[in-house]
Amino acid sequence: MYSRIAGMFVLLNLSLSLLAGQTIALFQPHSLTAGPFPSDALSVSDGAQKTGIRINLPASGESCNPATSPSVCGNTTLLNQLDGFSVNPRLMVCFSAAVDPNTLQNSISIMPVYGEPSKGSPGPVVKINQILFDPASNCAFAKPDQVLNQQSRYLLIVMNSLQDSKGINVKADNAFQDCLKSTDPYCQELENAMDHIPPSLVSTQNIIAASLFTTMSATTWLEQARRYVDLHEPPVILPAGIPSSFDLAQLTSISWIPAQSGLPPQDIPLTALSNVGQVAFGFYLSPNFLDPTNGAIPTTPTNTPIAGPIPVPVTGVGIPPGFVPVSFHVFLPAGAPPPGGFPLVIYGHGLGDNQFGAPTFIASTLAKNGFATLAIEITGHGYGAGSVVNLTDSGGVVHTVATPGRGILLPGNTGNIGATDGCIAPGAIAVRDCGRQTAVDLFALIATIHETHGLGLPLSANQLYYVGQSFGSTYGTLLNAVEPTVTAAVLNGDGGTSVDVARISISGRPLGIEYLAPAGLLNVPPAPLEAYFHDQFNDNYVFRDNPPVINNVPGAMPIQAAFEAADWLGMLGDPLSYAPHLKKSPLAGVPQKSILFQFGFGDLEVSNPMESAVIRAANGQSSSWFFRLDQAAVSHPELLGVMMPGVPFPILPHRILSNPTIFDVPAETSLALAEQQQAASYFASGGRTIPNPNLFVTAPFSPAENLFQIPTALPEQLNFLQIAP
């Protein structure tokens, strides 16, 4: 009833204001078209949620129509399971006529709700960024200048300094004042929140529109999943074969044979493992929360226990229902282990890779510095369950060990299991729950390491480190924000949000196209790779710290609204929402983490603005190192054309840390080994000291060239040197 009455007031007041020649800031808190958005008016009370509310958006149609839902559209059923709005929300304020976009930034802000003792000290006022004005709807859109705190209440306020297109100050909608005087529960809470704004910050008389909104519980499910692992993890190590441990000096070849892939065997080059003494294989058990019928983790109310693990068909004696065997291998350094065992680096590989890919090409550097390297087969990777490794010894005997893949043929997928089948869910979920399940797998690995005192190998259970590359940094951010026992981590090519990666990065845009196509939202014809921003969609993406953009791209607004729905859902497993908990605001029971961020100029796969976003959210600029590929390419342009089979674009700088091409190009070898040695030396200090990687650079470069830098300012724009060689 209130919604219908408020709508009538809005129409009446709008008509009167237009007759008077005034531009007003629309106020219809239950609306997705007028806003302001977000608003707790679009929620219901729910005691089963930590925040006390649950989202209650009106149903949206099959497609995203900016005339009906410009703020967010699609996936309403999934969004209505959440207990609050995104910690990275797309803000919307609409007007009765055009406004001056240049007055938006200083007139709209986000303010923590004061007067709530249970929330502790409120944070600072948050400015807006990435501003866009859409003339067709007379709506302004923006993002917060920083990631908001989870499970917190905020005011979105609009000040009377905002001007219309004629330079006249925008007025308040009469419906706004009527709301503040009414007995409607939302309006009363809004009035109370405004009454508690300190006068030193702003005079409430200058506010012409406002909304009250609550942010979601972004990390709660994963925190609960870790507690589940603590309580239920079986202390079991299953042998991969007999023997399961091999001296590399006694081997002539190692070959991984992926099952159900249609691919030839993948050789593991012994020449890349010069400082490795042994390789060992095994399985441990991990609770499976990923539904194999849709690739998603079921959503449960945040103030109730999470749903238990989902049984899947597995073979093996004594495997509890809901647990799955996870394959791992460990490269052990040559020589005798130190007292207590070798310190251990867990390597998180990227999307589409496997446990025998990138981890192989950093293991020697880590072993030289005394570290063992462990990699697991992550969710949705490793192809079929029948994958094996054949090891040929010096006597010509072939030893076969089982390394079952985690690939899942989701509904709609047919034929052979692909490199990421079961990791990329259909629709808005995409890689969100693959990342969360992999973080759970790593919780289970770490618990097993502790319970078995090193997996039955000469490994130290008390010296655990982590390296993540690309997607390995995505789930690595989740792992390190929640897991207290990892001492220090290197996150290489980390970036978020994952949805923004799908909007901007060359390797991610196919996922964006796949998401938009069923809703009929592709707005431009396909074009060559060189024009990748027009490869079927152009959403007029707004970069940080730019002047406001006036939308002039047909079809861009519904695409933005569709991406916002996915971005909001993705916060449950996105590195951007977890990054603040690495250092700035650690979660309960987790110490502040030591994190080294490595990233490079002109990254094609996780673009610099997305990498900067995660570093900024983690307050990690002082512990980040930026590889200047642009400067290195001046003297060695061959770096711009380093390719990998099956990848239709140059792989540098994104994959420079550890990939099969490291030893093919001398210039790349020098730079890659410098990054690796920086990571190893950082771990050797226990995460207390981050060395300068330029000190480890060798010919054809010199340390004096300063090709690695602590960025004085984080890059916020695209800096693609070249799209194709």
Side-chain angles (χ1 to χ4, degrees), residues 315-677:
T315 57
V317 177
I319 297 179
F323 283 76
V324 293
V326 179
S327 169
F328 69 86
H329 76 280
V330 186
F331 290 121
L332 296 160
F342 293 111
L344 179 63
V345 175
I346 300 168
Y347 191 102
H349 67 71
L351 191 69
D353 197 4
N354 58 76
Q355 64 170 309
F356 302 107
T360 301
F361 297 93
I362 194 174
S364 182
T365 299
L366 293 173
K368 183 180 179 180
N369 289 270
F371 293 93
T373 303
L374 183 150
I376 71 170
E377 208 61 87
I378 74 167
T379 305
H381 288 68
Y383 300 95
S387 296
V388 298
V389 168
N390 285 341
L391 304 100
T392 305
D393 65 25
S394 55
V397 178
V398 177
H399 305 271
T400 299
V401 296
T403 57
R406 306 281 302 283
I408 306 168
L409 280 178
L410 298 175
N413 293 355
T414 59
N416 290 331
I417 294 176
T420 59
D421 279 344
C423 184
I424 304 174
I429 299 301
V431 298
R432 181 196 76 181
D433 290 349
C434 174
R436 289 199 291 173
Q437 178 61 54
T438 300
V440 171
D441 294 341
L442 292 170
F443 297 154
L445 167 67
I446 291 169
T448 305
I449 290 172
H450 287 297
E451 291 165 354
T452 60
H453 306 289
L455 304 175
L457 298 168
L459 299 173
S460 171
N462 300 314
Q463 298 180 78
L464 301 180
Y465 303 92
Y466 182 85
V467 173
Q469 196 274 327
S470 190
F471 188 53
S473 289
T474 294
Y475 57 79
T477 305
L478 277 58
L479 166 74
N480 282 279
V482 177
E483 171 58 55
T485 66
V486 176
T487 301
V490 173
L491 300 178
N492 185 287
D494 194 8
T497 63
S498 295
V499 168
D500 279 350
V501 172
R503 300 165 82 158
I504 299 299
S505 299
I506 289 174
S507 58
R509 283 180 68 84
L511 289 178
I513 292 168
E514 186 176 331
Y515 170 58
L516 297 172
L521 296 178
L522 302 178
N523 60 341
V524 293
L529 182 63
E530 289 78 3
Y532 71 95
F533 264 131
H534 305 288
D535 58 353
Q536 302 187 53
F537 75 89
N538 180 357
D539 66 335
N540 207 5
Y541 184 85
V542 181
F543 292 94
R544 276 183 62 90
D545 301 335
N546 276 352
V549 171
I550 298 176
N551 181 51
N552 60 358
V553 176
M557 300 312 299
I559 295 176
Q560 290 191 14
F563 276 136
E564 175 59 21
D567 202 70
W568 183 359
L569 287 168
M571 288 298 105
L572 293 174
D574 197 276
L576 190 70
S577 56
Y578 283 77
H581 304 298
L582 294 173
K583 297 171 69 173
K584 286 199 298 187
S585 54
L587 298 170
V590 183
Q592 186 181 67
K593 290 301 183 72
S594 176
I595 305 291
L596 164 59
F597 292 97
Q598 296 175 331
F599 66 126
F601 183 100
D603 196 321
L604 295 172
E605 300 180 68
V606 177
S607 305
N608 288 163
M610 280 76 257
E611 293 167 321
S612 295
V614 168
I615 293 171
R616 185 186 315 105
N619 195 25
Q621 186 169 339
S622 63
S623 62
S624 64
W625 281 84
F626 190 40
F627 165 46
R628 295 303 301 261
L629 175 63
D630 55 329
Q631 296 181 14
V634 171
S635 58
H636 289 276
E638 67 270 22
L639 291 169
L640 299 178
V642 177
M643 304 288 288
M644 282 178 62
V647 181
F649 46 78
I651 64 169
L652 301 185
H654 187 69
R655 307 190 192 194
I656 194 169
L657 179 67
S658 48
N659 65 76
T661 70
I662 281 178
F663 304 110
D664 296 342
V665 180
E668 182 194 6
T669 304
S670 169
L671 299 168
L673 294 182
E675 278 202 357
Q676 292 183 5
Q677 185 58 49

Side-chain angles (χ1 to χ4, degrees), residues 132-213:
L132 178 142
F133 180 73
D134 178 44
S137 61
N138 288 323
C139 291
F141 301 87
K143 284 284 187 176
D145 196 47
Q146 66 186 53
V147 178
L148 304 180
N149 295 329
Q150 64 173 334
Q151 301 168 358
S152 299
R153 296 211 302 170
Y154 289 91
L155 278 168
L156 170 62
I157 61 172
V158 185
M159 306 299 295
N160 60 3
S161 55
L162 198 150
Q163 296 179 348
D164 66 14
S165 58
K166 298 178 182 178
I168 301 172
N169 289 359
V170 175
K171 303 295 183 182
D173 191 332
N174 288 341
F176 177 50
Q177 297 300 328
D178 292 342
C179 171
L180 298 180
K181 299 174 184 176
S182 77
T183 59
D184 175 80
Y186 168 77
C187 292
Q188 289 185 328
E189 288 196 29
L190 177 61
E191 179 190 27
N192 183 61
M194 290 177 59
D195 285 345
H196 282 86
I197 298 175
S200 59
L201 292 179
V202 67
S203 170
T204 56
Q205 294 180 348
N206 296 329
I207 298 176
I208 58 173
S211 71
L212 176 67
F213 67 95

Side-chain angles (χ1 to χ4, degrees), residues 92-330:
M92 181 187 76
V93 180
C94 297
F95 307 94
S96 61
V99 299
D100 180 357
N102 294 315
T103 64
L104 290 167
Q105 185 163 37
N106 292 328
S107 301
I108 300 175
S109 58
I110 305 164
M111 186 172 293
V113 172
Y114 293 80
E116 293 186 330
S118 62
K119 296 293 184 182
S121 177
V125 175
V126 179
K127 296 182 178 180
I128 61 172
N129 211 316
Q130 298 177 267
I131 302 167
L132 178 142
F133 180 73
D134 178 44
S137 61
N138 288 323
C139 291
F141 301 87
K143 284 284 187 176
D145 196 47
Q146 66 186 53
V147 178
L148 304 180
N149 295 329
Q150 64 173 334
Q151 301 168 358
S152 299
R153 296 211 302 170
Y154 289 91
L155 278 168
L156 170 62
I157 61 172
V158 185
M159 306 299 295
N160 60 3
S161 55
L162 198 150
Q163 296 179 348
D164 66 14
S165 58
K166 298 178 182 178
I168 301 172
N169 289 359
V170 175
K171 303 295 183 182
D173 191 332
N174 288 341
F176 177 50
Q177 297 300 328
D178 292 342
C179 171
L180 298 180
K181 299 174 184 176
S182 77
T183 59
D184 175 80
Y186 168 77
C187 292
Q188 289 185 328
E189 288 196 29
L190 177 61
E191 179 190 27
N192 183 61
M194 290 177 59
D195 285 345
H196 282 86
I197 298 175
S200 59
L201 292 179
V202 67
S203 170
T204 56
Q205 294 180 348
N206 296 329
I207 298 176
I208 58 173
S211 71
L212 176 67
F213 67 95
T214 304
T215 53
M216 65 194 292
S217 301
T219 66
T220 295
W221 185 90
L222 197 59
E223 291 178 87
Q224 291 179 309
R226 189 191 176 279
R227 285 194 288 272
Y228 185 94
V229 168
D230 279 347
L231 294 172
H232 299 93
E233 180 61 27
V236 174
I237 296 295
L238 304 175
I242 299 177
S244 284
S245 182
F246 303 85
D247 291 333
L248 259 65
Q250 302 301 316
L251 298 176
T252 60
S253 69
I254 306 177
S255 184
W256 176 56
I257 304 173
Q260 295 173 263
S261 67
L263 297 176
Q266 174 180 313
D267 289 334
I268 301 169
L270 296 176
T271 54
L273 299 169
S274 57
N275 296 299
V276 174
Q278 286 186 311
V279 59
F281 302 85
F283 313 107
Y284 66 95
L285 300 181
S286 178
N288 173 67
F289 295 98
L290 196 76
D291 188 339
T293 66
N294 59 19
I297 294 174
T299 300
T300 51
T302 54
N303 205 30
T304 63
I306 62 174
I310 298 172
V312 293
V314 294
T315 57
V317 177
I319 297 179
F323 283 76
V324 293
V326 179
S327 169
F328 69 86
H329 76 280
V330 186

